[in-house]
Amino acid sequence: MDRAAAAEQAVCARHLRRLWALPGTVLGRSGWPPTVSQRLHWHWNYWWQAHLLDSLVDAQLRQPTDERARLINRFIATVHRRNFGSWVNDYYDDIAWLGLALQRVRRLQLSTVDEPIEAISKRLHEGWTEDLGGGIWWRRGDSFKNTPANGPAAMFHARKGDQERAGAMTQWLTDTLVDPETGLVWDGIRADTGELVKHIFSYCQGVYLGACLEQSRWDDAARTIRAVEKHVAPQGILPGSEGGDGGLFSAIAARYLALAANNLPRPEAEAAKRLVQNSAEACWNGVAQEKTGPLFSAYWDKPAPNPPGKAERDLSVQIGGWMLLEAAATL
């Protein structure tokens, strides 16, 4: 727990700042040290902020404080402001992530978030079509259906009590994007050509695992953990994916592996626990110590460069390290 607390302090100290110098606002700057555009929050990393909110909720579960509860409320309001008065955007994966974080906020009664949850639910429902047998698009107006959108959306629907849509979405993933030979989950499928995009990302394994856990699909969850241990993390440490969006990929896997370790009634729960603990140990051993606290490497099996490299400057990479340590703190 001390490591997770140190990670929280470091990420918040380096990245949390006012939006446009407006009083009462707070948002995560996407880089450290920040460029001029990052100071202005010019590039809007909506889904990075969703995971920052999720990590703040993790910390509140670990050690609740009134100060953090107030911070969470200010953060949610600032996301809405920076998104120009809307809770949604055109990317179904982005809004599903914010929805999942807000559902956890509501469960802890930290804020009144019924309005954004309903707005996100409505938009996610609109994304479903029967093209390619079902599922939602990656973004509005697209011809690509993928795991990164359908996995978190299935979790969102399951937590909201819409078991019919959650089940249909997870079954579509199982039938369409799970490799029958390895048990790994592919990235997506293109409607215009029918091409299966068979890239293997730790992100995809994590969101599919999370969807299965939410619906007690224990055999599918167990198969996924075995596949991750054998093919994605054969040395017992989840892989790095450089900076940018990839900085969150393995942290997402770690979050749901930790949930599996605590909830899966199968022997694979122990494998999930090992993967999270081994990754957390390697990540912590590789930190660079800055005045503001630990700086995480983009690759948990390698030490962080000092001074920080381009990837290590990204908020995504630093949230990823924090998420991993919060996941390990639950085991």
Side-chain angles (χ1 to χ4, degrees):
M1 288 193 179
D2 289 346
R3 292 176 177 180
E8 177 192 9
Q9 188 278 327
V11 173
C12 291
R14 287 194 291 261
H15 292 275
L16 286 189
R17 296 293 186 275
R18 287 180 176 180
L19 171 66
W20 304 323
L22 295 170
T25 62
V26 62
L27 210 60
R29 281 181 177 168
S30 59
W32 177 84
T35 64
V36 172
S37 66
Q38 288 166 345
R39 288 178 185 273
L40 296 173
H41 298 278
W42 186 257
H43 182 67
W44 180 218
N45 296 107
Y46 176 111
W47 82 289
W48 294 12
Q49 306 293 335
H51 284 289
L52 179 50
L53 176 59
D54 229 357
S55 297
L56 288 168
V57 174
D58 286 339
Q60 189 69 0
L61 285 166
R62 170 175 44 81
Q63 188 176 19
T65 69
D66 291 341
E67 180 182 3
R68 193 188 298 104
R70 290 190 293 270
L71 171 64
I72 287 170
N73 268 278
R74 297 204 322 270
F75 187 91
I76 293 168
T78 308
V79 167
H80 188 244
R81 174 172 278 188
R82 175 59 185 82
N83 207 44
F84 302 114
S86 175
W87 293 108
V88 298
N89 67 16
D90 286 341
Y91 288 82
Y92 293 109
D93 53 344
D94 284 12
I95 64 173
W97 284 122
L98 183 61
L100 286 168
L102 292 171
Q103 285 175 325
R104 299 178 74 214
V105 167
R106 182 165 64 180
R107 191 176 305 136
L108 292 178
Q109 299 181 327
L110 296 173
S111 185
T112 303
V113 290
D114 289 352
E115 178 188 337
I117 288 174
E118 290 307 315
I120 289 167
S121 178
K122 182 175 183 291
R123 178 62 60 87
L124 290 176
H125 271 277
E126 291 171 357
W128 178 276
T129 75
E130 293 303 321
D131 300 86
L132 299 168
I136 61 173
W137 303 106
W138 175 38
R139 58 187 173 184
R140 297 175 90 192
D142 206 14
S143 61
F144 187 52
K145 291 188 173 181
N146 65 359
T147 304
N150 283 274
M155 282 188 271
F156 175 88
H157 290 312
R159 291 180 185 179
K160 201 170 184 298
D162 188 350
Q163 298 302 329
E164 181 178 355
R165 178 52 55 87
M169 198 167 277
T170 308
Q171 191 60 49
W172 179 81
L173 283 168
T174 304
D175 294 342
T176 311
L177 295 178
V178 173
D179 182 352
E181 293 185 8
T182 65
L184 292 171
V185 188
W186 295 321
D187 185 34
I189 183 169
R190 303 190 188 282
D192 50 354
T193 64
E195 175 198 0
L196 281 167
V197 180
K198 296 185 178 182
H199 299 316
I200 300 300
F201 298 118
S202 52
Y203 179 171
C204 295
Q205 318 315 309
V207 295
Y208 177 75
L209 173 61
C212 292
L213 293 171
E214 287 292 338
Q215 299 165 79
S216 302
R217 297 172 68 119
W218 305 133
D219 291 342
D220 290 339
R223 182 192 63 236
T224 305
I225 293 167
R226 293 194 301 270
V228 169
E229 186 175 43
K230 182 176 180 180
H231 300 287
V232 179
Q235 305 305 315
I237 300 171
L238 293 165
S241 301
E242 301 184 345
D245 288 346
L248 287 164
F249 284 9
S250 283
I252 290 166
R255 176 183 292 282
Y256 299 107
L257 284 166
L259 283 175
N262 286 318
N263 295 288
L264 180 67
R266 296 284 190 281
E268 286 80 5
E270 282 301 314
K273 182 177 181 179
R274 284 195 304 272
L275 285 165
V276 175
Q277 290 181 327
N278 290 347
S279 298
E281 191 67 24
C283 173
W284 185 258
N285 289 339
V287 300
Q289 288 296 340
E290 299 281 343
K291 290 181 180 179
T292 48
L295 183 84
F296 300 107
S297 173
Y299 294 88
W300 295 333
D301 60 345
K302 298 176 183 177
N306 199 356
K310 183 177 183 298
E312 282 72 25
R313 292 184 56 255
D314 282 346
L315 173 62
S316 57
V317 169
Q318 299 310 309
I319 296 173
W322 176 15
M323 284 173 64
L324 170 64
L325 295 177
E326 292 286 4
T330 67
L331 300 177

